[in-house]
């Protein structure tokens, strides 16, 4: 059975109509829809088990704590982390990168360099600029080749003993490019740099194994992988996390507090001050279980087939330009495109009139937009419930679009 | 029940002004110029005005923008010619929406207001 046939019934929102048409949701890279299992797990938690975690010595507090920590164990298995201490819950990818950039920034010295790439989301650019500011640390960017891949030769030349951090995306949120994480990390490590990988567009779509990737820190969000908003994951190699000073203080992240000092808590709680997103962790756990049942290898194959079909069908429409690697190169579940003579926002609004939801704009990747030579693009993206019929509906609508404005 | 489609989001006025804007162009002798972007989409609009003896004698716009923003910039340019800067800055998004004969949701309202914001910046005393 096709994956979308297997899953669509689990996503109540997909049966609604938009502007008189059946919803065709092609914006999962911005945020995926949620299966009933996630919605019900969160409702069940709030209905029956809610209390604050960790310090509430009563039944509800214990149930909430068990659920919250069980979510951590589930995520640990899902991403192949060596231990649960390596799994820190954050508010999302952006929050995770900011946490890491702030902590790493504190130990950077004048003359040090942070390498990013030309295809980063703003959330993997701006926190590094902030970390570098006032420290005389330089942020440099690895350029792309003509077909939207990282220029590894230039990367080699940029690496030096000054390089202290290499931060890059696993899957581009615009081009769909899948970066060679293991190779980049190997080279960065040899140069003595810490590697930080933005996995926001990878965790929902690819099987992950932290031990095989070889990076030091990896961040992703729940809401793009069928889970709720408001929670994300920072995975860090034990030794790397151990060496990071917490940058945010509060309850839960300490062992002992005096008026003039405090002693930090153990991993992972050292990086989780305040009441965490408990219901969201429960929802994320349900999402991970859902994805595991489907099997991430199958998920990846399903979405890769859709992306390939979209590149081929959209690319064949006169006036439509598709961005990113060639159709025969593996890519993530996103396809960015423009329609000649139409602004991306107008493309999205016209498609919306037919019930088709796509993203349009700069996708929080303005340096990459400049590389593409456009102000913005439209983007179709896919998840486990997306179907080849939806790709065909989009292609059909796009073919007729230029006459509609 | 889903919400009704934006009733004529792309009204005939918007279509016409987007296809054939009357005030798009450069104004080399402009005396008031400003430019800004819409952070939501990266659209960029520059408003140029020539002010003589307390009156805006010419207005033009340039930039890279969607149909709604382009049409808005065109309407704003047309509306302020012949007015004093003080009168011009009283132009509201409601005025522009009325002329455009459209109905936008909050996410697209910024497309309408960007030329107005840039106008205000250009004419700041």
């Amino acid at each position: 059975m096709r994956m979308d046939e297997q899953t669509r019934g689990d996503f109540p929102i997909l049966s609604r109509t938009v502007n008189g048409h059946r919803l065709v949701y092609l914006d999962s890279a911005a945020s995926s829809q949620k299966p009933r299992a996630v919605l019900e797990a969160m409702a069940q938690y709030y209905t029956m088990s809610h209390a604050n975690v960790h310090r509430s010595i009563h039944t509800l507090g214990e149930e909430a704590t068990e659920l919250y920590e069980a979510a951590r164990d589930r995520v640990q298995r899902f991403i192949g982390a060596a231990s649960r201490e390596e799994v820190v819950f954050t508010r999302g990818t952006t929050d995770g990168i900011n946490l890491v950039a702030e902590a790493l920034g504190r130990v950077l010295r004048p003359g040090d360099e942070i390498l990013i790439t030309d295809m980063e989301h703003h959330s993997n650019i701006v926190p590094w600029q902030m970390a570098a500011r006032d420290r005389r640390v330089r942020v440099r960017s690895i350029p792309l080749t003509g077909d939207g891949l990282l220029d590894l030769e230039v990367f080699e030349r940029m690496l030096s003993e000054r390089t202290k951090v290499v931060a890059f995306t696993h899957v581009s949120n615009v081009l769909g490019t899948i970066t060679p994480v293991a190779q980049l990390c190997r080279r960065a490590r040899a140069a003595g740099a810490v590697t930080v990988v933005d996995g926001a567009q990878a965790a929902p779509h690819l099987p992950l194994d932290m031990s095989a990737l070889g990076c030091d820190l990896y961040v992703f969000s729940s809401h793009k992988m069928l889970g709720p908003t408001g929670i994300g994951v920072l995975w860090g190699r034990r030794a790397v996390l151990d060496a990071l000073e917490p940058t945010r203080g509060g309850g839960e992240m300490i062992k002992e507090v005096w008026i003039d000092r405090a002693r930090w808590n153990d991993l992972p709680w050292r990086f989780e001050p305040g009441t965490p997103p408990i219901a969201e962790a429960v929802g994320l756990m349900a999402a991970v279980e859902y994805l595991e049942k489907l099997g991430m290898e199958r998920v990846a194959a399903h979405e890769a087939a859709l992306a390939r079909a979209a590149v081929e069908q959209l690319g064949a429409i006169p006036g439509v330009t598709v961005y990113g690697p060639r159709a025969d190169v593996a890519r993530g579940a996103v396809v960015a495109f423009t329609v000649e003579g139409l602004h991306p926002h107008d493309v999205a609004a016209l498609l919306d009139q037919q019930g088709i939801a796509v993203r349009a704009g700069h996708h929080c990747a303005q340096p990459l937009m400049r590389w593409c030579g456009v102000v913005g693009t439209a983007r179709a993206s896919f998840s486990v419930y997306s179907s080849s019929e939806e790709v065909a509906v989009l292609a059909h609508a796009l073919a007729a679009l230029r006459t509609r404005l | 029940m889903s919400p009704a489609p934006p009733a004529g989001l792309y009204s005939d006025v918007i279509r016409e002004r987007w296809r054939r804007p009357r005030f798009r162009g450069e104004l080399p002798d402009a005396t008031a110029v400003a430019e800004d972007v819409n952070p939501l989409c990266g659209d960029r609009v520059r408003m140029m005005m020539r002010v003589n003896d307390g009156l805006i004698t010419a207005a033009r716009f340039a930039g890279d923008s969607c149909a709604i923003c382009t049409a808005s910039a065109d309407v704003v340019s047309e509306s302020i010619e012949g007015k004093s800067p003080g009168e011009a800055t009283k132009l509201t998004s409601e005025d522009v929406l009325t002329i455009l004969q459209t109905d936008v949701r909050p996410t697209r309202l910024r497309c309408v207001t960007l030329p107005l914001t840039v106008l205000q910046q250009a004419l700041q005393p």
Side-chain angles (χ1 to χ4, degrees):
Chain A
M1 191 193 259
R2 273 175 22 188
M3 182 164 286
D4 54 283
E5 290 169 349
Q6 181 187 349
T7 58
R8 283 189 82 85
D10 298 331
F11 292 79
I13 204 168
L14 297 180
S15 52
R16 74 162 277 184
T17 58
V18 168
N19 296 331
H21 298 265
R22 170 65 72 93
L23 168 64
V24 174
Y25 188 75
L26 299 176
D27 196 19
S28 296
S31 197
S32 75
Q33 298 301 343
K34 320 303 173 198
R36 204 174 274 108
V38 169
L39 307 176
E40 287 173 355
M42 294 177 76
Q44 171 72 11
Y45 164 75
Y46 272 133
T47 309
M48 294 304 295
S49 301
H50 174 68
N52 210 332
V53 291
H54 294 141
R55 287 169 312 284
S56 302
I57 309 301
H58 52 71
T59 301
L60 295 187
E62 281 163 3
E63 285 182 17
T65 304
E66 280 166 21
L67 283 165
Y68 180 68
E69 293 300 333
R72 195 186 311 277
D73 294 333
R74 195 84 202 195
V75 169
Q76 179 205 336
R77 283 204 302 280
F78 184 67
I79 63 173
S83 73
R84 67 192 318 279
E85 286 76 17
E86 295 184 337
V87 178
V88 175
F89 285 130
T90 64
R91 259 55 177 182
T93 304
T94 298
D95 185 51
I97 296 176
N98 273 280
L99 189 164
V100 164
E102 202 182 340
L104 288 173
R106 288 186 181 187
V107 295
L108 295 178
R109 305 241 174 98
D112 285 350
E113 292 182 353
I114 298 166
L115 290 192
I116 59 173
T117 86
D118 278 355
M119 63 171 135
E120 297 310 311
H121 189 282
H122 294 166
S123 64
N124 203 22
I125 301 173
V126 181
W128 299 111
Q129 294 172 349
M130 294 166 92
R133 200 176 52 196
D134 305 327
R135 290 194 176 94
R136 287 193 286 141
V137 168
R138 198 166 156 216
V139 178
R140 304 178 67 196
S141 187
I142 304 164
L144 309 184
T145 61
D147 48 357
L149 307 179
L150 283 183
D151 191 327
L152 298 175
E153 285 178 26
V154 178
F155 167 62
E156 291 288 341
R157 290 203 296 274
M158 292 172 87
L159 267 181
S160 75
E161 73 283 356
R162 292 185 299 277
T163 313
K164 293 298 183 293
V165 178
V166 181
F168 59 96
T169 189
H170 191 167
V171 176
S172 161
N173 70 314
V174 176
L175 302 178
T177 308
I178 301 175
T179 58
V181 177
Q183 184 184 350
L184 291 164
C185 290
R186 215 166 28 246
R187 296 295 302 123
R189 170 162 305 169
V194 173
T195 48
V196 181
V197 180
D198 169 359
Q201 297 297 344
H205 307 296
L206 302 174
L208 288 182
D209 181 356
M210 291 303 125
S211 59
L213 283 179
C215 57
D216 293 313
L217 298 150
Y218 194 97
V219 292
F220 57 96
S221 297
S222 148
H223 73 95
K224 294 184 198 290
M225 50 184 289
L226 315 183
T229 57
I231 189 169
V233 173
L234 158 64
W235 169 85
R237 188 182 302 286
R238 182 69 187 257
V240 176
L241 281 184
D242 267 333
L244 283 189
E245 276 285 296
T247 55
R248 300 157 189 185
E252 193 58 40
M253 54 77 69
I254 46 77
K255 269 195 178 143
E256 272 187 296
V257 177
W258 296 266
I259 289 297
D260 61 345
R261 65 190 191 282
R263 209 154 62 84
W264 307 147
N265 200 347
D266 297 327
L267 290 174
W269 305 291
R270 186 189 304 167
F271 296 106
E272 297 181 0
T275 297
I278 310 166
E280 288 76 7
V282 171
L284 172 58
M285 173 161 57
V288 166
E289 283 167 10
Y290 189 91
L291 287 169
E292 282 178 335
K293 264 185 222 158
L294 293 176
M296 288 308 290
E297 297 284 353
R298 276 186 69 213
V299 168
H302 173 70
E303 293 166 358
L306 292 176
R308 200 161 45 243
V311 170
E312 282 164 5
Q313 290 178 39
L314 270 50
I317 302 169
V320 172
T321 303
V322 173
Y323 298 85
R326 296 189 318 263
D328 58 343
V329 176
R331 70 155 72 203
V334 300
V335 177
F337 59 93
T338 52
V339 182
E340 190 183 1
L342 283 180
H343 187 282
H345 268 194
D346 296 322
V347 171
L350 291 166
L351 291 173
D352 179 63
Q353 289 177 350
Q354 301 172 64
I356 304 168
V358 299
R359 191 78 158 176
H362 53 58
H363 313 292
C364 294
Q366 286 183 326
L368 180 56
M369 292 294 108
R370 290 184 197 109
W371 180 84
C372 292
V374 293
V375 170
T377 74
R379 178 189 73 186
S381 56
F382 314 106
S383 184
V384 298
Y385 41 74
S386 306
S387 70
S388 50
E389 285 80 7
E390 290 178 315
V391 174
V393 167
L394 171 67
H396 184 73
L398 275 180
L401 207 60
R402 280 202 291 172
T403 59
R404 287 176 64 94
L405 190 64
Chain B
M1 188 55 200
S2 64
L9 172 62
Y10 295 105
S11 64
D12 289 343
V13 179
I14 291 180
R15 284 167 205 261
E16 176 57 24
R17 285 193 181 261
W18 178 67
R19 287 199 195 108
R20 281 177 286 278
R22 298 163 218 176
F23 292 82
R24 190 203 287 276
E26 298 296 326
L27 198 58
D29 54 349
T31 56
V33 177
E35 176 173 322
D36 209 347
V37 296
N38 179 346
L40 295 180
C41 56
D43 278 5
R44 180 178 293 276
V45 168
R46 183 162 87 253
M47 299 288 301
M48 295 155 276
M49 282 145 281
R50 186 170 61 229
V51 184
N52 281 353
D53 297 330
L55 284 183
I56 298 169
T57 54
R60 292 288 182 276
F61 75 96
D64 203 343
S65 56
C66 69
I68 295 173
C69 188
T70 301
S72 170
D74 205 48
V75 163
V76 169
S77 302
E78 181 173 39
S79 304
I80 61 174
E81 277 197 351
K83 289 197 173 123
S84 70
E87 284 173 278
T89 51
K90 288 192 189 121
L91 192 68
T92 66
S93 53
E94 287 74 25
D95 298 335
V96 176
L97 285 169
T98 305
I99 297 169
L100 293 178
Q101 295 173 14
T102 190
D103 171 21
V104 297
R105 291 202 186 141
T107 48
R108 294 303 291 276
L109 190 59
R110 296 277 273 276
C111 311
V112 176
T113 56
L114 178 61
L116 287 169
T117 312
V118 175
L119 171 72
Q120 304 275 354
Q121 290 168 7
L123 294 179
Q124 264 170 4

